[in-house]
Amino acid sequence: MNPTPPRERICMLTGGGYPYRRDALSGWCRSLVEGLRRFRFELLTVTDREPPTAPAYPLPLNVGSSRAVAIAGAAKVKIERSESRNERNERRRTEAELGRRAASGLCRGLIGQDGPVFADGLRQVAEHPEVLATMPLGDALLEAWRTGDSLPRLSMRDARTAATLLRHALGAVAVELPEADLVHCIGGTTPLLTALGGRWRTGVPLLLTEARAPVARHKPHEERLSPAVRTVLRRFRESVAGAGYAEAGLIAPLSAYHHGWALRHGAETGRLVQVPPGVDPSQYPETAEPESGPAVVWAGSGGPDSGLTPLLAAFEQVVAAVPGAVLHLVGVTAAHEDHCAEQIERTGLGRAVRLHPLPAGRGDRYTRGHVVAHVPGPADPPYRLVEAMMSGRAVVGVDVGPAAETLGDAGVLVQPDDPAELAIAIVDLLRAPERRRALGEAARQRALTRFTQDRVVRVYGELYADLAAPPPPPSFELALAVPAPRAEPPVTMRWLVSERQDG
């Protein structure tokens, strides 16, 4: 009996997602793991919050391990040594010099937007994580800032604040990866830092999927920071993304929108393989519209950065035009229920808005409504839009990110930051049942043609095989001046091939 062939080991690396959180991105990761049984998965999620204690999903048999790491603890690198006083002093001097060089490279690279210089500094941190705690980032920032053009004023206090935030973020570089043949990094800056650190320390191949909108943006809690600190954080994220593009063996953008952004930020054309999102059609069976009064569905976490605020502003106008209309918020996470309730109370919509936790059955998310309002947050991937299309409901989408290319002419697109236009589009569809049913059917057919889960799983299986498989055995091509048919190579050629293979 032949032994079972070894399976390639894939480290699936996320930023606080699968398998510990239930959301659209985690569902996408789960479909890959469960659909690619021929690979063995080591799951790692890296977060700057308290790590989850238990997976939110049952783990299939091809998952070898699952681990969640908080980067706050990762930055505290402690190395036990037995050394003399002189050796300790020499080590400290060496570490101080390494820290100065790393900090200087990082700061000069991100302020001057010089990718190779930044990557060199980041690599030094990855190879010597013990310098994280003491590297003089504040001083290096002030020095690099003086060489920049058109920058906001950076005070000493700003430099200290930015240095603290950068040091915390850089803790992700020190996180150790599980042993694997390939790292599939899915997400943003935090998991990518961990992936880069692992690649530079071990040489493991890297497959990069930018699941969120790649715009280097300010997060809601960063609005209170000074313009200079926000500039540092924005350029840091851009620089990390550029380093990821340079190191990844393959980059799998979700859309032409993501593809174009990667090209503009240094990705090589030959490394890009566009893989649109996909869902399982069987999870979203066609169902008849509800017989209740007019209803709108929105799917999202309900957090401050989820698109909820402009949606509620538009729905106030919808209720005024269509009395009795109801808005169903599905998929609101427990952590954001209070925020949602405060936002709803502020609008005075009351019972016109209903909160629903993430349904156990995916197909139930959109059946409550006649129209789906796709109002995403600035970093939301297009998975919810594809789900809505597959459900067969008419979609009104906000034209941000890849929404236009995903929805095509199978729905209605409105401009961002215009609640009145969004409300008008929703009201028009609520009042036109034949048109919205036609759009719902068109959306489902488009999703069936372009955005199915089996296609995503098949393509990623090929990408994994390309990057994770062992290198092919060496082959040699010998050009003959006078080609002639032979049953076997002549003795001189056999000797030459054997010598090269042995060498």
PDB file of all heavy atoms in Angstrom, residues 295-308:
ATOM      1  N   ALA A 295     -40.303  46.897   3.352  1.00  0.00           N
ATOM      2  CA  ALA A 295     -39.174  46.661   4.253  1.00  0.00           C
ATOM      3  C   ALA A 295     -37.858  46.757   3.494  1.00  0.00           C
ATOM      4  O   ALA A 295     -37.758  46.358   2.338  1.00  0.00           O
ATOM      5  CB  ALA A 295     -39.308  45.287   4.918  1.00  0.00           C
ATOM      6  N   VAL A 296     -36.866  47.300   4.196  1.00  0.00           N
ATOM      7  CA  VAL A 296     -35.508  47.451   3.660  1.00  0.00           C
ATOM      8  C   VAL A 296     -34.562  46.685   4.571  1.00  0.00           C
ATOM      9  O   VAL A 296     -34.737  46.669   5.793  1.00  0.00           O
ATOM     10  CB  VAL A 296     -35.102  48.942   3.602  1.00  0.00           C
ATOM     11  CG1 VAL A 296     -33.682  49.108   3.056  1.00  0.00           C
ATOM     12  CG2 VAL A 296     -36.096  49.736   2.780  1.00  0.00           C
ATOM     13  N   VAL A 297     -33.546  46.046   3.977  1.00  0.00           N
ATOM     14  CA  VAL A 297     -32.553  45.294   4.739  1.00  0.00           C
ATOM     15  C   VAL A 297     -31.181  45.920   4.536  1.00  0.00           C
ATOM     16  O   VAL A 297     -30.827  46.313   3.421  1.00  0.00           O
ATOM     17  CB  VAL A 297     -32.516  43.813   4.309  1.00  0.00           C
ATOM     18  CG1 VAL A 297     -31.308  43.100   4.922  1.00  0.00           C
ATOM     19  CG2 VAL A 297     -33.788  43.104   4.708  1.00  0.00           C
ATOM     20  N   TRP A 298     -30.433  46.000   5.635  1.00  0.00           N
ATOM     21  CA  TRP A 298     -29.019  46.400   5.579  1.00  0.00           C
ATOM     22  C   TRP A 298     -28.234  45.406   6.414  1.00  0.00           C
ATOM     23  O   TRP A 298     -28.637  45.069   7.533  1.00  0.00           O
ATOM     24  CB  TRP A 298     -28.844  47.804   6.142  1.00  0.00           C
ATOM     25  CG  TRP A 298     -27.406  48.257   6.272  1.00  0.00           C
ATOM     26  CD1 TRP A 298     -26.623  48.788   5.302  1.00  0.00           C
ATOM     27  CD2 TRP A 298     -26.602  48.231   7.461  1.00  0.00           C
ATOM     28  NE1 TRP A 298     -25.381  49.100   5.801  1.00  0.00           N
ATOM     29  CE2 TRP A 298     -25.335  48.764   7.129  1.00  0.00           C
ATOM     30  CE3 TRP A 298     -26.815  47.802   8.777  1.00  0.00           C
ATOM     31  CZ2 TRP A 298     -24.305  48.883   8.045  1.00  0.00           C
ATOM     32  CZ3 TRP A 298     -25.789  47.922   9.703  1.00  0.00           C
ATOM     33  CH2 TRP A 298     -24.554  48.459   9.335  1.00  0.00           C
ATOM     34  N   ALA A 299     -27.120  44.918   5.894  1.00  0.00           N
ATOM     35  CA  ALA A 299     -26.295  43.951   6.617  1.00  0.00           C
ATOM     36  C   ALA A 299     -24.959  44.585   6.968  1.00  0.00           C
ATOM     37  O   ALA A 299     -24.284  45.142   6.103  1.00  0.00           O
ATOM     38  CB  ALA A 299     -26.070  42.698   5.777  1.00  0.00           C
ATOM     39  N   GLY A 300     -24.589  44.501   8.235  1.00  0.00           N
ATOM     40  CA  GLY A 300     -23.314  45.057   8.674  1.00  0.00           C
ATOM     41  C   GLY A 300     -23.139  44.877  10.164  1.00  0.00           C
ATOM     42  O   GLY A 300     -24.056  44.439  10.872  1.00  0.00           O
ATOM     43  N   SER A 301     -21.943  45.203  10.644  1.00  0.00           N
ATOM     44  CA  SER A 301     -21.642  45.001  12.063  1.00  0.00           C
ATOM     45  C   SER A 301     -22.360  46.003  12.959  1.00  0.00           C
ATOM     46  O   SER A 301     -22.577  45.741  14.144  1.00  0.00           O
ATOM     47  CB  SER A 301     -20.130  45.120  12.290  1.00  0.00           C
ATOM     48  OG  SER A 301     -19.704  46.456  12.097  1.00  0.00           O
ATOM     49  N   GLY A 302     -22.682  47.192  12.417  1.00  0.00           N
ATOM     50  CA  GLY A 302     -23.336  48.216  13.223  1.00  0.00           C
ATOM     51  C   GLY A 302     -22.374  49.096  13.978  1.00  0.00           C
ATOM     52  O   GLY A 302     -22.802  49.924  14.783  1.00  0.00           O
ATOM     53  N   GLY A 303     -21.071  48.953  13.736  1.00  0.00           N
ATOM     54  CA  GLY A 303     -20.082  49.766  14.436  1.00  0.00           C
ATOM     55  C   GLY A 303     -19.998  51.184  13.901  1.00  0.00           C
ATOM     56  O   GLY A 303     -20.643  51.536  12.901  1.00  0.00           O
ATOM     57  N   PRO A 304     -19.184  52.029  14.534  1.00  0.00           N
ATOM     58  CA  PRO A 304     -19.064  53.433  14.115  1.00  0.00           C
ATOM     59  C   PRO A 304     -18.566  53.595  12.684  1.00  0.00           C
ATOM     60  O   PRO A 304     -18.804  54.625  12.061  1.00  0.00           O
ATOM     61  CB  PRO A 304     -18.057  54.013  15.125  1.00  0.00           C
ATOM     62  CG  PRO A 304     -18.101  53.100  16.293  1.00  0.00           C
ATOM     63  CD  PRO A 304     -18.389  51.743  15.742  1.00  0.00           C
ATOM     64  N   ASP A 305     -17.856  52.590  12.168  1.00  0.00           N
ATOM     65  CA  ASP A 305     -17.254  52.689  10.843  1.00  0.00           C
ATOM     66  C   ASP A 305     -17.929  51.751   9.849  1.00  0.00           C
ATOM     67  O   ASP A 305     -17.301  51.290   8.896  1.00  0.00           O
ATOM     68  CB  ASP A 305     -15.762  52.353  10.948  1.00  0.00           C
ATOM     69  CG  ASP A 305     -14.945  53.009   9.845  1.00  0.00           C
ATOM     70  OD1 ASP A 305     -15.454  53.952   9.221  1.00  0.00           O
ATOM     71  OD2 ASP A 305     -13.811  52.557   9.607  1.00  0.00           O
ATOM     72  N   SER A 306     -19.215  51.463  10.054  1.00  0.00           N
ATOM     73  CA  SER A 306     -19.886  50.424   9.270  1.00  0.00           C
ATOM     74  C   SER A 306     -20.851  50.951   8.213  1.00  0.00           C
ATOM     75  O   SER A 306     -21.482  50.168   7.518  1.00  0.00           O
ATOM     76  CB  SER A 306     -20.658  49.497  10.206  1.00  0.00           C
ATOM     77  OG  SER A 306     -21.724  50.199  10.830  1.00  0.00           O
ATOM     78  N   GLY A 307     -21.019  52.245   8.079  1.00  0.00           N
ATOM     79  CA  GLY A 307     -21.980  52.777   7.113  1.00  0.00           C
ATOM     80  C   GLY A 307     -23.361  52.993   7.687  1.00  0.00           C
ATOM     81  O   GLY A 307     -24.289  53.399   6.958  1.00  0.00           O
ATOM     82  N   LEU A 308     -23.530  52.739   8.980  1.00  0.00           N
ATOM     83  CA  LEU A 308     -24.859  52.853   9.599  1.00  0.00           C
ATOM     84  C   LEU A 308     -25.367  54.294   9.625  1.00  0.00           C
ATOM     85  O   LEU A 308     -26.550  54.544   9.371  1.00  0.00           O
ATOM     86  CB  LEU A 308     -24.809  52.285  11.020  1.00  0.00           C
ATOM     87  CG  LEU A 308     -26.101  52.387  11.834  1.00  0.00           C
ATOM     88  CD1 LEU A 308     -27.220  51.585  11.191  1.00  0.00           C
ATOM     89  CD2 LEU A 308     -25.866  51.926  13.273  1.00  0.00           C
TER      90      LEU A 308
END
